[in-house]
Amino acid sequence: QLQLVESGGGLVQPGGSLRLSCTTSGFRLNYYAIGWFRQAPGKEREGVSCISSSGGTTNYAGSVKGRFTISKDNAKNTVYLQMNSLKPEDTAVYYCAAGSVYGLVRQDYAYWGRGTQVTVSS
């Protein structure tokens, strides 16, 4: 059974950092693209970052480019999202997802975790 579990969320002050982890099981991580998405209250779920199945290609939403870094460790079946210089507008539930198509389009991802809350506040 294919599963994704997010962890690493929490409360952080503006300017701070968090590292989210997406631990996967039931499939080979190098067979799927992995995306990070987030959803703030009252807003649509939006793509944040993605990494190709090979790990050789990454992409970021404009709002996080230069602040967030996505990476993967196939041996640990885990994808990471390092988030630096966090802003209050980064507050959301963050989800990781697996799909066969690389990109930031939510509909391209078939398998989803349950999310982890990130709150940026002083």
Side-chain angles (χ1 to χ4, degrees):
Q1 183 178 1
L2 195 151
Q3 289 188 323
L4 303 94
V5 179
E6 303 92 339
S7 61
L11 173 65
V12 63
Q13 292 187 341
S17 298
L18 283 174
R19 188 177 78 159
L20 304 184
S21 297
C22 173
T23 303
T24 68
S25 61
F27 67 102
R28 294 277 299 267
L29 189 57
N30 58 353
Y31 285 1
Y32 286 85
I34 300 294
W36 282 99
F37 295 78
R38 67 186 182 187
Q39 188 166 18
K43 293 189 176 182
E44 294 287 321
R45 192 171 298 187
E46 63 174 354
V48 174
S49 181
C50 58
I51 188 165
S52 62
S53 56
S54 69
T57 306
T58 60
N59 195 18
Y60 299 91
S63 59
V64 307
K65 194 170 294 184
R67 300 188 297 123
F68 291 10
T69 303
I70 191 170
S71 62
K72 65 189 297 189
D73 185 334
N74 287 337
K76 295 183 177 180
N77 295 318
T78 301
V79 176
Y80 303 99
L81 186 68
Q82 178 67 42
M83 306 187 297
N84 298 329
S85 302
L86 283 161
K87 305 175 181 180
E89 51 263 44
D90 294 317
T91 296
V93 177
Y94 283 70
Y95 301 88
C96 65
S100 57
V101 178
Y102 164 80
L104 292 176
V105 177
R106 182 181 62 186
Q107 289 78 3
D108 287 336
Y109 290 83
Y111 306 99
W112 291 82
R114 294 188 175 185
T116 184
Q117 176 71 46
V118 171
T119 303
V120 185
S121 175
S122 55

